[in-house]
Amino acid sequence: MSDFEPQAGGDSCPIFPRQGPRAVVLCDGPPPEPELLAYWLAGTDVFVCADAAGHPYDELPRLPDLVIGDFDSLSGRIIDGRDGPRYLQIADQYTTDSEKALLYLSERGIEEAVLLGATGWRLDHTLYNCHLLERFAARMRLCLVDPVADIVRLGPGTSVSWPLPEGTRFSLLPLNGTVRGVTMEGALYPLLGETLETGAFATVSNRVAVSPLLLTVAEGSLLVSVDRDAEPLDEDDAFGDR
Amino acid sequence: MSDFEPQAGGDSCPIFPRQGPRAVVLCDGPPPEPELLAYWLAGTDVFVCADAAGHPYDELPRLPDLVIGDFDSLSGRIIDGRDGPRYLQIADQYTTDSEKALLYLSERGIEEAVLLGATGWRLDHTLYNCHLLERFAARMRLCLVDPVADIVRLGPGTSVSWPLPEGTRFSLLPLNGTVRGVTMEGALYPLLGETLETGAFATVSNRVAVSPLLLTVAEGSLLVSVDRDAEPLDEDDAFGDR
């Protein structure tokens, strides 16, 4: 059973509903499946590629509005046809290309972005892209998209209620050290005011038991990864893998 | 130029030199290149596969000594021939299969392990495997291996001196919140008693300028990712991508 509905489009994602002008940023990690990119591009206002991500651009489901970066990996290969994307070269050695894209968007009032191609292959880039969710927390809502799950950050003092299909697999991970006062209702393994430490408690592969899933964080920053597909719960799940 | 020397073997890796009995743990993420697995298996005492990782096992460069897990992904597919590996089934819903492997090794006095297949694909599993470096810090030295880099944790009050080829690319990332007193000599962009916050300062893709690279951490936990291949520095690098 798949709850992944490309026709609905990423702007209706339960854990990252569209609240205003939204951007999709394609980073230059392993490229996402074309259907996944198309799903997130549905209803998106701005489409930005970081450096060589998505090159050649005419093979993407939509032509990028902007390609941004220092172009160290695109040098000599840019073909800027009259119908091609705009290019913005920023030679700043203190930011990565994904960061350049987010800074550009944030300065233009875009407060919502989805990052694809931001995980996998190199672990250092993957982790740094995760850390951008912490860095940009005050000015942008961000969602990281991996091949199977969507990942958002819940900051201190937040509560969410997500309508998710029963059986949806999800994981909680401290993003920036200790997270306190984590309460979770509607899960197979609920939590009540728990403290989560980095690596101290297995909170991977929990499941939604009753919709909506309610999550509250008192202190700290929590990454929440939620699968796009759900498998129905069965009797074995009470003894399943966490 | 490649400094990746399978004949030398992983037990001589500059950032993770062998200090005692060592294990290689193959996790069930995206499988490593056979040459990379063979490199790390050179000089390793124990080879453990987590759940279905490496199955079928006779296609690996070496037969695993042990396959450990709850076998939820191997059910009905285990063929335990007389020359096959041993299987240890642990039905514990509070630990992941990688954790089960590390707990098993740690209880048997193995204080050194290399994790392959632990990164990529699902971001939640990747992050959780990173967090295991924090969780096991007091009892095991761990090294995470991704397709291009080796990743270790430097805990509070540690200093290392690594003989690395000039031009080697490396990244520093806070593992568990703020890291204080980070000093680094021998790098293109050195640090002197710096504080590193999650996502606050781009410390990705630094380069070794002079060997050895000296790194000191006063407080907190730092992940250090070091590429196995080095490209020589050139004039452009002073303005290169960080």
Side-chain angles (χ1 to χ4, degrees):
Chain A
M1 188 186 89
S2 173
D3 299 290
F4 177 68
E5 292 167 9
Q7 68 280 14
D11 63 349
S12 62
C13 168
I15 73 162
F16 198 65
R18 186 182 154 108
Q19 293 178 25
R22 169 177 286 199
V24 161
V25 177
L26 184 60
C27 306
D28 60 0
E33 291 292 318
E35 295 74 22
L36 186 59
L37 182 56
Y39 166 85
W40 283 105
L41 282 173
T44 285
D45 303 276
V46 189
F47 177 29
V48 178
C49 290
D51 209 73
H55 190 267
Y57 305 105
D58 52 8
E59 291 182 8
L60 295 170
R62 170 171 151 184
L63 201 69
D65 300 296
L66 185 71
V67 181
I68 200 166
D70 57 13
F71 298 118
D72 57 352
S73 52
L74 252 190
S75 58
R77 292 199 289 130
I78 297 178
I79 300 163
D80 190 3
R82 50 195 294 187
D83 300 320
R86 288 191 305 129
Y87 292 89
L88 183 63
Q89 183 164 22
I90 303 175
D92 171 6
Q93 70 197 26
Y94 293 98
T95 53
T96 64
D97 292 324
S98 323
E99 256 176 302
K100 288 178 178 66
L102 294 182
L103 286 167
Y104 173 90
L105 292 165
S106 162
E107 283 162 12
R108 274 145 196 87
I110 307 273
E111 294 177 353
E112 202 168 293
V114 179
L115 284 84
L116 292 107
T119 68
W121 198 47
R122 293 191 69 104
L123 182 62
D124 56 348
H125 290 192
T126 296
L127 287 178
Y128 193 71
N129 286 332
C130 288
H131 289 182
L132 290 177
L133 272 61
E134 185 68 23
R135 168 156 179 186
F136 280 85
R139 40 186 165 168
M140 288 186 95
R141 292 180 296 282
L142 296 176
C143 181
L144 271 175
V145 172
D146 85 8
V148 289
D150 307 323
I151 296 106
V152 295
R153 168 193 179 272
L154 296 185
T158 54
S159 287
V160 292
S161 168
W162 289 332
L164 293 167
E166 185 181 294
T168 302
R169 208 173 281 272
F170 68 96
S171 300
L172 309 183
L173 292 145
L175 174 60
N176 185 23
T178 306
V179 188
R180 289 177 214 282
V182 180
T183 291
M184 178 164 63
E185 293 172 61
L188 197 57
Y189 302 94
L191 296 176
L192 187 62
E194 213 81 39
T195 296
L196 303 183
E197 307 272 0
T198 301
F201 184 62
T203 48
V204 289
S205 297
N206 205 332
R207 309 279 295 274
V208 174
V210 183
S211 183
L213 180 70
L214 302 173
L215 258 167
T216 300
V217 175
E219 290 174 40
S221 298
L222 191 65
L223 272 193
V224 189
S225 164
V226 179
D227 280 18
R228 280 183 295 278
D229 285 352
E231 304 156 48
L233 292 173
D234 60 35
E235 285 172 14
D236 287 344
D237 285 308
F239 307 99
D241 188 32
R242 290 194 77 181
Chain B
M1 187 186 90
S2 172
D3 299 290
F4 178 69
E5 291 166 10
Q7 68 280 14
D11 64 348
S12 63
C13 169
I15 73 161
F16 197 66
R18 186 182 153 107
Q19 293 178 25
R22 169 177 284 198
V24 162
V25 177
L26 184 59
C27 306
D28 59 0
E33 291 290 319
E35 295 73 22
L36 185 59
L37 182 56
Y39 167 84
W40 284 103
L41 282 173
T44 286
D45 303 277
V46 188
F47 177 29
V48 179
C49 290
D51 210 74
H55 191 267
Y57 305 105
D58 53 6
E59 291 181 8
L60 295 170
R62 170 173 150 183
L63 201 69
D65 300 295
L66 185 71
V67 181
I68 200 167
D70 57 12
F71 299 118
D72 57 351
S73 52
L74 252 190
S75 56
R77 292 199 290 130
I78 298 177
I79 300 164
D80 190 3
R82 49 195 294 184
D83 298 320
R86 288 191 306 130
Y87 292 89
L88 183 63
Q89 183 164 24
I90 305 175
D92 171 7
Q93 70 198 26
Y94 293 98
T95 53
T96 64
D97 293 324
S98 322
E99 257 177 300
K100 288 178 178 67
L102 294 181
L103 286 167
Y104 173 90
L105 292 165
S106 162
E107 282 161 13
R108 273 144 196 89
I110 307 273
E111 295 177 351
E112 204 169 290
V114 180
L115 284 83
L116 292 107
T119 68
W121 198 47
R122 294 191 68 105
L123 182 63
D124 56 348
H125 290 191
T126 296
L127 288 179
Y128 193 71
N129 286 332
C130 288
H131 289 181
L132 290 177
L133 271 62
E134 185 69 23
R135 168 156 179 187
F136 281 85
R139 40 185 165 169
M140 288 186 95
R141 292 181 296 283
L142 297 177
C143 181
L144 270 174
V145 172
D146 85 7
V148 291
D150 307 323
I151 296 105
V152 295
R153 169 193 178 273
L154 297 185
T158 55
S159 287
V160 292
S161 168
W162 289 331
L164 292 167
E166 184 181 298
T168 301
R169 209 172 281 272
F170 69 95
S171 301
L172 309 183
L173 293 145
L175 173 61
N176 186 23
T178 306
V179 188
R180 291 178 212 282
V182 180
T183 291
M184 178 164 63
E185 293 172 61
L188 197 58
Y189 303 94
L191 295 176
L192 187 61
E194 212 82 38
T195 295
L196 304 183
E197 307 272 359
T198 301
F201 184 61
T203 48
V204 290
S205 297
N206 205 332
R207 309 279 296 274
V208 174
V210 183
S211 183
L213 180 70
L214 302 172
L215 259 167
T216 300
V217 175
E219 290 173 41
S221 298
L222 191 65
L223 272 194
V224 189
S225 164
V226 179
D227 281 16
R228 280 182 296 276
D229 285 351
E231 304 156 48
L233 291 173
D234 61 35
E235 286 173 14
D236 287 344
D237 285 308
F239 308 98
D241 188 31
R242 291 192 77 180

